[in-house]
Amino acid sequence: MGDELASLKIQLERRKRLMEKINEIHSASSLNSILIELKDSIADLFDAERITIYLADVKKNLLFSRVKSGDEVKDIVVPINNNSIAGYCAQSKNVINIKNAYDDHELKMIHTDLKFDKSWDQKTGFRSKQILCVPMIFQNVLIGVIQILNKKNAEKFTETDIQYAVEVASALSIAIFNLHRLAQATKVSRQKYRYYYLLGRNIIDEVTIEKASLHPDANKIGVDQVLIKDFGVPRDEMAKSLSLYYGTEFILFDPNLPPLEDILNRIKPDKLKGEKWVPVKIENGVLYVAMEDPTDLEKQDLIKFLFPDFKKINFVASFREDIENYIDYFYKLGKYSEGGTELTEILSKLDKGEEPDVEQEVQKVSEQDSVIVQLVNKIIYDAYMKKASDIHIEPYPGKNDVIIRLRIDGRCQLYQKIPYKYKYAIVSRIKIMAGLDIAERRKPQDGKIDFKKYGPADIELRVATVPTVGQLEDVVLRILASGEPLPFDKLGLTERNARVFRECISKPYGMILVVGPTGSGKTTTLHSAISLINKPETKIWTAEDPVEITQKGLRQVQINSKIGLTFAAVLRSFLRADPDVIMVGEMRDEETASIAIEASLTGHLVFSTLHTNSAPETVTRLLDMGMDPFSFSDALLCILAQRLARRLCPECKEIYTPDRRELAEIIEEYGIEYFKKTNINPADIKLARPKGCKNCNNSGYKGRLGLHELLECTDEMKSLIKKKSDIDLIRKQAIADGMTTLKQDGILKAIQGLTDIKEVRRVCIK
């Protein structure tokens, strides 16, 4: 009697544990908590050594599960067929209770094709003996299989074990089904709000979303990327929309972030790519993990499980493409395999030797593993990362090193000296990349490099070779970083200039000119202006040489003078192509200028540039080119002249109070009468000067800012143009109309602490 009571007590206690476990299963918040966290306690319920919970993918006819091996979570995949125990259980939907998994006869008695895969035991050293396999079925649908291994202190799983396993399998089936249904319902309801930000700003409409959802690439790259690549949604706007949707920070790819080696060593890159997440940074003890869907609770649980040493993990959103770029960059895969190589490491591989033989050195550049190939890629990549606008390759005769200089913020800086032995090889390698004739060293050549074929940056470079003394060639590479236009409010225009410029841009016809020397940011300003009117209802044609900035919605034409595709020729063709807006990259001759004026008088808004020093000078230049003053004055809306001055580094600039002498000089340069109208109290003026720190490479400057003067073509100005008045009268009238000169604009920005007065004097004459 006592034994029976003790046995009953044990059964009741076990039954109680079973019900507690079933309640835990129904309370699980994610599949990971079931597949990984709960399974060990379920195994204890059966006094078993191990348990594996498989989920079924009926479409692919597979079972899959997850197991933790060390710090890594691995996926197990088993086909649903008669060749494995779990697969047969899923196929037949029958309970299987095996006494000895290694007994082939016992397995054949169940099914002739049934086998036990011993490889897992061989890898782990674990010895499988008894196996109890129970299918998980809900509403006649296979959910998965629960497989319990090795009954402790017994030869076989009992009938009670089978009964309990069936109950656990039933609970798991319901819990997993409900979790899946909840995830689907959440996804559907939230999808409705995913693009609210874009809809609210009229960037897209619901029809566009529907079209993108049905796009053939939607399943492959996602609807977000389809909207960006095929429907012209700006990447930064999509990032804002997703940030608001997920309620979290959005991280774009930034190659300046150092890899978290200790973290990344715990998990393989293939796993990260498959799961679409990657740890990107640690700030104040918080691990930031970029995810395509930062609300995926299942993946969150997995990540927390992998990195238990972090008390807080921030899950932030990112594009799938950027996540993959981070993974490749951190693990130095694919196109990033050379990006992390130090220049000194590459240079150390170069031979030091005698004066090179031209032909021998040229042959080396076609070898894929050549050090020269790595060296040129590294030079270009470093220049891009340093935000250089140009790369200057300067070989010298004799045994003098090759000088590499970078133009950063408008100033050339020494980047590196390369052993003289490679002066031919470097130039030849660049020529090969640009598709130029490597045998022709007597004439200048022009070409273009699509660098994404060779390195980790998606940029293009315009290449110009120039023959120099000693039968050598200089090479200058202009970096054309493909990207979106600069937002209009980032141009640095004053309130008056921004207002007048916007008013002119919104006019239905007329001519707007942006003028300044080469490299003064004219193209950037033009594209920023055009982006304001780049709407589906507006047809915009552009003729550029080269096309540096691309915008969805613009029809952009690359000038090619070699085949007669000149600005004038393209402009004529535009007039037959039903334009609303025309942008001409440069008015280089009288013919182009005449056609542009004609176009602006026949109902088109025309944008163009000119190489002149000031806005008033532009008027006299065009009149001197032979433009009809009456047509020109009627066509002109405004002229914006600009320069780029170096911006003081915000981290280290020194604020100081100028002495009387310096203050008097500044006010005199501005114009005493004009300065009074600014209402600035000279006693309150503070200026800034460069100092130098690590942030700005000890130059004291970081980045550039625009200095502008905007001539508005008022009625009074039109009258002066018709009379062909001289430049002084035009300048006085422009100032009377509200124009601040380039130097005045620069002085005002120096007073604001954005740049220093020396820099203003360097780039501005008047």
Side-chain angles (χ1 to χ4, degrees), residues 345-356:
E345 183 182 336
I346 297 173
L347 290 174
S348 67
K349 299 176 185 177
L350 295 176
D351 294 330
K352 307 293 188 292
E354 299 302 318
E355 181 74 16

Side-chain angles (χ1 to χ4, degrees), residues 1-13:
M1 188 70 178
D3 291 341
E4 290 179 5
L5 286 173
S7 176
L8 182 61
K9 187 176 180 181
I10 291 170
Q11 289 179 33
L12 289 172
E13 182 63 31

Side-chain angles (χ1 to χ4, degrees), residues 355-532:
E355 181 74 16
D357 176 81
V358 178
E359 300 305 326
Q360 287 180 1
E361 289 303 308
V362 168
Q363 286 176 3
K364 290 183 180 180
V365 301
S366 60
E367 299 171 12
Q368 290 302 310
D369 58 347
S370 168
V371 179
I372 294 298
V373 173
Q374 296 179 41
L375 177 61
V376 172
N377 288 354
K378 183 64 176 173
I379 291 169
I380 294 172
Y381 181 71
D382 280 0
Y384 169 67
M385 294 306 298
K386 291 174 182 288
K387 294 182 169 55
S389 60
D390 300 88
I391 305 168
H392 294 258
I393 314 290
E394 301 168 347
Y396 288 86
K399 296 185 178 182
N400 295 301
D401 290 340
V402 179
I403 302 297
I404 313 289
R405 294 195 291 168
L406 306 180
R407 187 176 294 278
I408 300 173
D409 294 337
R411 289 289 189 92
C412 280
Q413 302 176 11
L414 178 65
Y415 165 71
Q416 189 64 48
K417 292 182 179 180
I418 308 297
Y420 67 90
K421 182 178 179 181
Y422 298 93
K423 56 189 172 187
Y424 299 118
I426 291 174
V427 173
S428 296
R429 174 59 189 167
I430 293 170
K431 282 183 168 184
I432 288 172
M433 294 169 75
L436 303 180
D437 183 357
I438 62 172
E440 179 56 75
R441 302 185 188 91
R442 299 166 301 170
K443 296 179 181 178
Q445 296 186 68
D446 297 313
K448 212 169 192 180
I449 295 173
D450 184 3
F451 188 62
K452 66 183 176 184
K453 296 178 183 177
Y454 308 100
D458 185 7
I459 55 173
E460 287 186 342
L461 299 102
R462 188 173 63 196
V463 180
T465 68
V466 182
T468 55
V469 293
Q471 296 183 330
L472 299 171
E473 290 175 285
D474 273 30
V475 182
V476 179
L477 299 95
R478 165 63 60 89
I479 298 175
L480 310 173
S482 57
E484 297 168 1
L486 190 71
F488 187 82
D489 56 2
K490 297 288 179 65
L491 289 176
L493 295 167
T494 61
E495 187 276 329
R496 179 260 175 188
N497 288 349
R499 175 178 51 79
V500 174
F501 201 35
R502 276 180 180 272
E503 288 173 359
C504 293
I505 293 165
S506 62
K507 297 283 177 67
Y509 59 88
M511 185 163 66
I512 296 171
L513 299 176
V514 179
V515 302
T518 302
S520 60
K522 299 186 296 296
T523 302
T524 300
T525 299
L526 277 181
H527 273 278
S528 294
I530 287 175
S531 68
L532 295 178

Side-chain angles (χ1 to χ4, degrees), residues 65 78 97 172 235 290-291 315 318 372 383 388 403 405 436 453 467 505 530 564 613 678 708 756:
S65 185
V78 177
N97 188 8
L172 286 169
R235 214 165 183 267
M291 301 173 67
F315 300 99
S318 187
I372 294 298
I403 302 297
R405 294 195 291 168
L436 303 180
K453 296 178 183 177
I505 293 165
I530 287 175
N613 292 321
T678 64
H708 308 92
D756 65 312

Side-chain angles (χ1 to χ4, degrees), residues 533-603:
I533 54 174
N534 184 8
K535 308 291 183 187
E537 62 269 18
T538 306
K539 179 74 172 189
I540 304 175
W541 286 98
T542 77
E544 302 170 73
D545 185 22
V547 176
E548 296 183 38
I549 299 171
T550 56
Q551 288 191 57
K552 287 282 187 180
L554 303 190
R555 308 311 300 148
Q556 296 176 269
V557 177
Q558 169 72 54
I559 296 301
N560 188 347
S561 301
K562 293 178 182 178
I563 61 171
L565 195 65
T566 61
F567 280 112
V570 172
L571 193 48
R572 281 197 205 91
S573 69
F574 285 173
L575 294 175
R576 299 189 295 271
D578 188 30
D580 293 306
V581 178
I582 295 172
M583 186 187 106
V584 185
E586 185 182 342
M587 293 203 298
R588 293 178 178 173
D589 50 47
E590 180 185 348
E591 184 183 12
T592 306
S594 297
I595 299 170
I597 290 172
E598 180 188 338
S600 64
L601 291 172
T602 53

Side-chain angles (χ1 to χ4, degrees), residues 622-656:
L622 286 168
L623 291 174
D624 290 343
M625 284 172 64
M627 298 301 102
D628 176 57
F630 291 91
S631 298
F632 177 43
S633 63
D634 288 341
L636 186 64
L637 294 174
C638 69
I639 302 172
L640 180 72
Q642 69 179 55
R643 296 286 189 281
L644 291 178
R646 289 184 294 172
R647 186 187 293 270
L648 287 170
C649 174
E651 300 292 328
C652 66
K653 65 180 179 182
E654 286 185 342
I655 307 297
Y656 71 98

